[in-house]
Amino acid sequence: MDRLQNKVAIITGGIKGIGLATAQAFVAEGAQVVITDIDGTNHQTVLEALSPSAHFIEHNVADEQAWETVFTKTIELFGHVDIVVNNAGILDFNDAEHITDDIWHKVLAVDLDGVMYGVKHGIAHMKKNGGSIINLSSIAGLIGIPNLFAYNAAKGGVKMLTKSAALYCAENQYQIRINSIHPGYVHTPMVDAYPEMRADLEKLHPLGRLAEASEIAQMAVYLASDESKFVTGSELVIDGGYTAQ
């Protein structure tokens, strides 16, 4: 398989869940990947499974300076960057009446600011040769969920900054495509941490189940590949029919 042959990707939050599945899918399609994560506990195991096509960099996506370090190291390793997957994210249950400043800023720092930095620095480093930036949003970026107030705000922001940045790149003829992916509920450590919710979450999806991380990763492969060279500023929904209701 060579849909991503000779391409170099940075994938945030790549040690587990959708990020790991995306790294696995990219390597299978011929890409070299740099996996970043704030928690590197299992990175050696992940790298051994993906060797020799993957490298790991510890990375806090909410720290702008850390982004320059990631790009610098990736370019030192591979000479260029073609793909950025802004996947890192956190979840907190909160509502509009009881939200605290600390929780609000914590969620938005990772889930929105982290994506913004990835887009900003991705454009700076990719505008000469072009490429693809893929932002993981959520169905929570499309519909309201009462107990995900801050997460709704962040994921909705990801959807709209994606569109703005895509138009900016097109206007400046940078040949950088920027799109967002909006999964429904997916079997990831973040969701599976709440097994008591699983049956109720499955019922929300007309297909009657949660998505597998590998199913989201395949959409990322499409957006990273030259097959999607006329796709930019789009929101691609993978939700088992959730938002069709």
Side-chain angles (χ1 to χ4, degrees):
M1 304 295 284
D2 58 0
R3 296 165 73 192
L4 302 180
Q5 195 69 39
N6 300 320
K7 294 187 184 294
V8 176
I10 294 170
I11 303 171
T12 69
I15 290 297
K16 55 186 178 294
I18 294 171
L20 175 56
T22 300
Q24 292 167 332
F26 279 18
V27 167
E29 294 291 349
Q32 302 281 342
V33 300
V34 170
I35 297 168
T36 85
D37 207 293
I38 197 168
D39 179 8
T41 304
N42 297 317
H43 80 272
Q44 288 293 350
T45 302
V46 170
L47 292 182
E48 287 171 9
L50 297 175
S51 180
S53 298
H55 292 261
F56 173 78
I57 300 174
E58 190 169 321
H59 177 209
N60 176 6
V61 297
D63 177 358
E64 182 170 12
Q65 185 55 47
W67 275 100
E68 272 305 301
T69 300
V70 168
F71 274 96
T72 297
K73 289 183 177 179
T74 302
I75 292 168
E76 287 175 355
L77 285 167
F78 300 116
H80 57 99
V81 177
D82 305 289
I83 305 156
V84 176
V85 181
N86 288 305
N87 166 74
I90 59 174
L91 178 69
D92 185 88
F93 294 104
N94 50 74
D95 61 68
E97 183 178 7
H98 302 100
I99 188 73
T100 65
D101 282 355
D102 287 347
I103 293 298
W104 175 264
H105 291 298
K106 179 181 178 181
V107 172
L108 266 69
V110 176
D111 292 357
L112 184 57
D113 294 356
V115 175
M116 179 271 289
Y117 291 139
V119 169
K120 176 183 176 181
H121 291 272
I123 291 171
H125 287 278
M126 295 163 61
K127 63 184 179 182
K128 182 178 179 180
N129 297 314
S132 176
I133 298 176
I134 303 163
N135 298 328
L136 267 294
S137 181
S138 165
I139 55 169
L142 303 172
I143 61 171
I145 300 173
N147 63 344
L148 292 178
F149 182 60
Y151 191 76
N152 263 149
K155 294 302 186 178
V158 168
K159 179 185 75 168
M160 293 312 299
L161 74 79
T162 297
K163 295 180 183 299
S164 177
L167 293 174
Y168 172 82
C169 288
E171 184 178 76
N172 286 277
Q173 299 183 347
Y174 285 160
Q175 302 304 311
I176 300 173
R177 298 174 292 102
I178 309 179
N179 296 283
S180 57
I181 297 178
H182 297 256
Y185 288 94
V186 183
H187 281 299
T188 65
M190 187 165 70
V191 172
D192 291 341
Y194 303 95
E196 71 280 4
M197 298 173 59
R198 177 171 174 174
D200 289 336
L201 293 178
E202 289 176 339
K203 292 175 184 176
L204 295 173
H205 302 76
L207 290 186
R209 64 176 178 87
L210 307 188
E212 299 297 333
S214 60
E215 294 173 308
I216 313 305
Q218 288 305 312
M219 179 62 78
V221 169
Y222 167 70
L223 290 174
S225 76
D226 294 339
E227 298 162 18
S228 60
K229 61 186 178 182
F230 200 59
V231 181
T232 196
S234 294
E235 53 198 62
L236 291 96
V237 182
I238 314 174
D239 69 352
Y242 188 118
T243 57
Q245 302 175 93

